[in-house]
Amino acid sequence: MLEGASSRRILGIWLRVLALDRWRLGEGLAEGEGADAHPLALIAETAHGPRIAAANAAGLTAGAQEGMMLADARTLCPDLTVVPSDPAGDLAFLEKLAGWALRWGPWSALDPPDGLLVDVTGVAHLFGGEAALLADARRAFARRRLANRMAIAPTAGAAWALAHHGPDGAILREGDDPVQRLSSLPVAALRLDGDVLTVLRRLGLKRLGDLDAVARDALVRRFRNRRSASGNPLMRMDQLLGRVPEPLLPVLVAHAPLVQRRLLEPIRHLALLEQVVRDLSADMERVLEGRGEGARRLELGLWKVDGELVVRKVEMAAPSRAAAHLAGLFARRIEDVDAGFGIEMVRLRAPWCEPLDLAQGDLEHAGEEGEARGTSLAACVDRLTVRLGAEAVRRPVPFASHMPERAQRWQEPLAPLKTSQVTSDFKIRPLKMLDKPEPISVIYETPDGLPRRFRWRGATHDVLRSEGPERIAPEWWRERGAVRLRDYYRIEDATGRRYWIYRCGVVGDGRGGVPAWFLQGVFG
């Protein structure tokens, strides 16, 4: 039996063509229904061009192999149809399958990119034995049209090895000799990196049994600098045999908040549907408040009498659980709903939630007066997004650049921030920034003194107060060598107006003649 792993039973599942099967499900095709009649390949963009990520049976027969350049594959198969791969979608689909696979054990873990590991310790008798458990799992995956190979073993490494390289449905029982059962498997069953497998093959070690024939000290010396498990065959062998533990991260299933109404009589009028949505929004507010969360995405499902399902979705710029706000967002989404013979069930679900702490309300301006004060920026963005579409709304976000005209970019309101840059307290910026700095004429103390008077847009301004300079050097990784540094000043004229100006260059810097002055912003 395997050392230290006699009481554990792990079900290893290999979804052989997960990406293609998921694509077939999205297209509504089943294996054998024309899905493999024409050569098809999923491609992934790489630094050297598109490569084949997966190919169907017709594509493999035509010569399109995984990892091959698309240009080479088209040479062998000119009529090859290509579809972009979606690794993120495949991983999300795999996570859903991991939660679904909990029917066979108390926990399951991901084995990216196309595998699952399920702990079936002590549950096989519920299915009539481990063979019956495998048969039940095989039938369940077949109903979902997912090709797979499975195996049960005392360790995750042994289950993975048998599922990928052993006979389908193999079971490594407690009384079996693991060395004898696994010795005929290739060294690829150890889940090693490609370069390590190449080294082992060059050494003549092609099977797991060959590793036992070599002195362990020789392998230790050969791979002594390999710290990771995927780069050390001895560590993988010990994990496979249960000599050292292999930590696994179980998938935790988080149930999305859900509220629904089953109506006594089907409804057909918009006013009644809006009232049901308001009631569901109030229910959702109470559920989210109890969880200490706010919704970022909501899905409204409408079940018609004839069996048709209508789904409407909204996304919010910030977490929210205000019932009036949520109902108002859906009011425009359901205007075009055709109730047909009537709607008999309405369901509201929040698949994306974020923590939202309780906040003290404004007691002085409560009730109707508080409503008259206006709305928050996030609520305004949500309303504009629902009315105009997400692609028509943008918000400014900080960008990692010292240059003021590059320190901000525009992106969609629901997109995550792409930088963690935080404006420092000492970097005071004007309320209004000009789209393009405008040249001005300045009288100042040379070579790098404070400005005393400047002329802008035909008017002359005397400088009463000035603060600076704040020196910003050129971005050497993107600017040319002739670009000069900038000295920024915050100034105030005789009328109390405050401006943000800068001097481009310094006298004697060797990058041009007399420095030029520009006005870039106006303070409020």
Side-chain angles (χ1 to χ4, degrees):
M1 65 181 62
L2 300 189
E3 303 175 18
S6 58
S7 60
R8 293 187 62 190
R9 306 298 291 170
I10 303 296
L11 168 63
I13 304 173
W14 175 32
L15 302 166
R16 295 187 294 110
V17 284
L18 174 64
L20 282 172
D21 284 342
R22 194 174 74 86
W23 178 84
R24 291 191 185 103
L25 293 176
E27 295 295 322
L29 299 176
E31 191 171 3
E33 296 180 358
D36 285 333
H38 186 79
L40 171 72
L42 303 182
I43 60 171
E45 293 293 337
T46 65
H48 301 286
R51 289 183 179 271
I52 303 297
N56 63 357
L60 295 174
T61 304
Q65 301 296 325
E66 181 179 353
M68 178 184 294
M69 298 294 296
L70 177 59
D72 298 335
R74 287 198 180 279
T75 303
L76 299 174
C77 182
D79 58 343
L80 179 68
T81 302
V82 297
V83 179
S85 63
D86 183 15
D90 295 340
L91 182 59
F93 183 68
L94 190 63
E95 290 178 351
K96 294 181 180 179
L97 286 179
W100 171 74
L102 290 176
R103 63 188 61 207
W104 297 300
W107 63 262
S108 62
L110 296 180
D111 181 28
D114 53 6
L116 297 173
L117 297 171
V118 185
D119 184 7
V120 295
T121 304
V123 300
H125 67 281
L126 301 176
F127 298 86
E130 293 182 345
L133 188 151
L134 284 176
D136 181 77
R138 188 175 288 105
R139 287 192 299 268
F141 278 99
R143 287 193 297 269
R144 284 154 181 79
R145 297 178 291 177
L146 297 173
N148 62 87
R149 288 171 57 90
M150 303 182 188
I152 296 180
T155 65
W160 190 96
L162 288 173
H164 285 72
H165 301 279
D168 187 18
I171 299 177
L172 186 58
R173 306 184 186 279
E174 296 183 7
D176 295 342
D177 183 3
V179 177
Q180 180 181 1
R181 287 285 306 273
L182 304 175
S183 61
S184 60
L185 300 182
V187 292
L190 291 178
R191 298 170 292 169
L192 298 171
D193 295 334
D195 59 336
V196 179
L197 292 175
T198 302
V199 172
L200 292 177
R201 293 190 182 101
R202 289 176 178 176
L203 294 176
L205 306 176
K206 300 180 180 179
R207 302 288 176 182
L208 297 185
D210 298 337
L211 297 179
D212 289 336
V214 179
R216 187 179 180 89
D217 294 340
L219 292 177
V220 169
R221 289 192 300 270
R222 182 74 183 188
F223 298 98
R224 60 181 178 274
N225 295 327
R226 301 278 184 164
R227 302 298 182 184
S228 64
S230 60
N232 194 320
L234 292 179
M235 186 181 301
R236 282 299 196 195
M237 195 69 178
D238 290 341
Q239 290 178 347
L240 184 144
L241 297 177
R243 296 169 182 165
V244 296
E246 180 180 357
L248 298 174
L249 184 62
V251 173
L252 300 179
V253 179
H255 297 284
L258 183 145
V259 293
Q260 68 180 18
R261 285 283 192 279
R262 294 183 180 272
L263 307 175
L264 294 178
E265 294 291 339
I267 59 176
R268 300 180 58 187
H269 301 289
L270 180 61
L272 297 177
L273 179 59
E274 290 177 345
Q275 181 60 48
V276 174
V277 172
R278 286 193 291 268
D279 294 341
L280 288 177
S281 299
D283 294 344
M284 180 62 71
E285 181 181 12
R286 289 189 290 270
V287 172
L288 292 175
E289 185 177 358
R291 296 164 60 108
E293 296 177 337
R296 288 292 305 274
R297 181 186 295 120
L298 288 170
E299 297 178 353
L300 181 68
L302 309 174
W303 274 261
K304 297 183 180 181
V305 175
D306 56 5
E308 182 182 356
L309 171 63
V310 179
V311 179
R312 293 292 184 267
K313 301 179 182 179
V314 296
E315 291 189 357
M316 286 155 283
S320 175
R321 56 173 175 256
H325 178 57
L326 303 183
L329 296 179
F330 277 111
R332 296 189 61 86
R333 294 293 193 189
I334 61 178
E335 290 179 348
D336 60 340
V337 173
D338 181 11
F341 295 103
I343 299 173
E344 60 181 356
M345 188 175 73
V346 184
R347 175 180 296 175
L348 184 61
R349 180 172 173 266
W352 178 12
C353 298
E354 291 182 357
L356 181 62
D357 297 331
L358 293 174
Q360 174 64 52
D362 193 341
L363 299 180
E364 181 180 358
H365 300 280
E368 296 181 359
E369 295 182 0
E371 294 293 335
R373 296 179 61 199
T375 184
S376 65
L377 177 60
C380 178
V381 171
D382 295 341
R383 294 174 183 176
L384 291 175
T385 302
V386 171
R387 181 180 294 270
L388 304 177
E391 65 280 356
V393 182
R394 296 289 186 272
R395 65 171 175 174
V397 295
F399 182 72
S401 176
H402 294 290
M403 309 306 292
E405 61 269 23
R406 297 175 185 160
Q408 171 182 297
R409 289 188 175 182
W410 294 86
Q411 71 179 35
E412 296 180 359
L414 302 178
L417 295 179
K418 299 180 181 179
T419 176
S420 59
Q421 180 187 12
V422 179
T423 303
S424 302
D425 295 337
F426 64 88
K427 292 183 178 179
I428 302 176
R429 296 292 182 259
L431 181 62
K432 179 180 180 180
M433 297 279 290
L434 302 181
D435 293 337
K436 184 179 181 180
E438 298 183 6
I440 58 176
S441 300
V442 179
I443 297 176
Y444 66 100
E445 299 176 359
T446 60
D448 55 356
L450 297 175
R452 297 302 181 186
R453 179 180 297 174
F454 71 96
R455 184 176 180 82
W456 175 53
R457 293 183 178 179
T460 302
H461 304 264
D462 293 326
V463 178
L464 294 185
R465 298 179 182 85
S466 61
E467 184 180 3
E470 176 189 341
R471 177 160 292 182
I472 298 179
E475 296 178 341
W476 55 267
W477 58 91
R478 62 183 300 172
E479 306 285 7
R480 296 183 180 274
V483 177
R484 311 177 77 174
L485 57 82
R486 300 179 183 180
D487 284 337
Y488 281 85
Y489 296 88
R490 293 183 292 274
I491 62 175
E492 181 179 336
D493 64 5
T495 60
R497 296 186 178 94
R498 302 177 65 222
Y499 305 92
W500 201 42
I501 67 175
Y502 70 88
R503 179 180 56 237
C504 185
V506 180
V507 175
D509 58 4
R511 295 193 174 187
V514 179
W517 287 81
F518 298 87
L519 189 147
Q520 191 163 9
V522 179
F523 290 91

